[in-house]
Amino acid sequence: VLDLVPPDLRRAAGRLYPVGRLDRDSEGLLLLTNDGVWADHVLHPRYGVEREYAICLTRPLTDAEASTLTAGIELSEGRAELLALRPATGPEVRALGRIVAPTLGRLHWYRATLRQGWRRQLRRMFAALGVPVRRLVRVRIGTLRLDDLRPGEVRRLSSREAARLTEVRREPAGRRGSGPDPRPTSLVVSLDGPASSGTSSVGAAAAQALGYRSCDTGRLYRALTWLALDRGVDVE
């Protein structure tokens, strides 16, 4: 993979090496560095840096299979767990098709997020259920996304991007020394504005375009108020 780095970048960086790995059957985002301390902060499970993958299957998962995967599967290293598993959205599949050559046939794409990084972990988890993975694309490491970087393309991280990947998350009171903060580190986008200014419509459209989940808090508050009134709860 180092042969893909332009010579001028290699000379400027000195000795480069991959941060983690992708097996020969997988593709997607791979980081290179000359900083061992930084690499350790990205790789070591105690820092809780998430990795998100697009997973291509030849058939959809059953509810039972999805539940088993999210509950965890025993592997030789221990219990393999996913932070999240969901079907990929239409925009996510189309965006991925613009980056990597699409696979022919009727296939089913999912998004899986994990903090562990064991050897061929996702493939082994799915294989344990008799569901072989057709393609596996790493689309995110921590706060850094693959975006429109195509196979074989290389770019240099900005200092801000590199710093955000290894930012130390503050522990809630009472948790100090008990391990990494389990709160999600994914990017959250919030939109606010006066009533009827279009924030709900813009938020829903932005979420669809980015492949994010959308939560309309205005509807949430109205639903809670209706539920309180319906059950005779004093809304004050």
Side-chain angles (χ1 to χ4, degrees):
V1 72
L2 294 176
D3 293 339
L4 299 173
V5 181
D8 58 331
L9 282 181
R10 294 187 66 175
R11 285 193 296 269
R15 177 179 176 268
L16 283 174
Y17 50 89
V19 181
R21 60 178 301 223
L22 283 171
D23 64 65
R24 64 180 299 170
D25 297 321
S26 302
E27 53 200 307
L29 183 61
L30 184 65
L31 301 177
L32 304 172
T33 189
N34 59 3
D35 186 336
V37 174
W38 184 85
D40 183 63
H41 275 73
V42 174
L43 285 175
H44 200 287
R46 69 175 175 271
Y47 297 110
V49 177
E50 296 179 0
R51 296 157 181 80
E52 185 177 359
Y53 295 82
I55 301 173
C56 181
L57 308 176
T58 55
R59 67 166 177 83
L61 293 171
T62 66
D63 291 342
E65 289 169 337
S67 297
T68 299
L69 285 165
T70 52
I73 289 182
E74 293 296 331
L75 299 179
S76 57
E77 299 92 334
R79 191 168 188 80
E81 298 178 343
L82 300 180
L83 291 177
L85 176 67
R86 61 175 176 81
T89 65
E92 286 174 336
V93 174
R94 289 192 292 271
L96 195 59
R98 293 193 294 268
I99 301 171
V100 299
T103 305
L104 299 178
R106 182 170 177 77
L107 298 169
H108 304 269
W109 286 91
Y110 290 82
R111 288 294 185 103
T113 304
L114 69 163
R115 288 201 182 107
Q116 297 164 318
W118 298 338
R119 179 183 59 85
R120 298 175 64 86
Q121 178 176 339
L122 285 172
R123 292 184 184 275
R124 292 160 61 202
M125 291 178 70
F126 279 77
L129 299 180
V131 185
V133 173
R134 181 74 175 273
R135 294 184 74 176
L136 186 66
V137 184
R138 186 158 59 201
V139 295
R140 179 173 65 86
I141 299 175
T143 54
L144 189 67
R145 295 181 179 274
L146 183 63
D147 292 331
D148 58 354
L149 201 66
R150 297 181 181 278
E153 288 186 341
V154 177
R155 74 170 179 85
R156 189 168 185 169
L157 295 183
S158 69
S159 57
R160 176 57 181 155
E161 287 174 323
R164 287 191 67 194
L165 275 170
T166 57
E167 284 177 347
V168 177
R169 295 188 301 278
R170 298 185 183 276
E171 297 178 357
R175 288 197 71 257
R176 193 163 303 281
S178 60
D181 185 348
R183 291 174 297 180
T185 56
S186 303
L187 183 65
V188 175
V189 179
S190 298
L191 298 177
D192 198 6
S196 301
S197 63
T199 52
S200 296
S201 300
V202 171
Q208 183 177 18
L210 295 171
Y212 279 35
R213 288 173 293 177
S214 177
C215 176
D216 187 331
T217 54
R219 292 182 182 176
L220 174 66
Y221 300 148
R222 289 192 290 274
L224 287 173
T225 303
W226 173 85
L227 188 62
L229 292 171
D230 184 67
R231 296 189 178 179
V233 176
D234 183 357
V235 295
E236 297 298 326

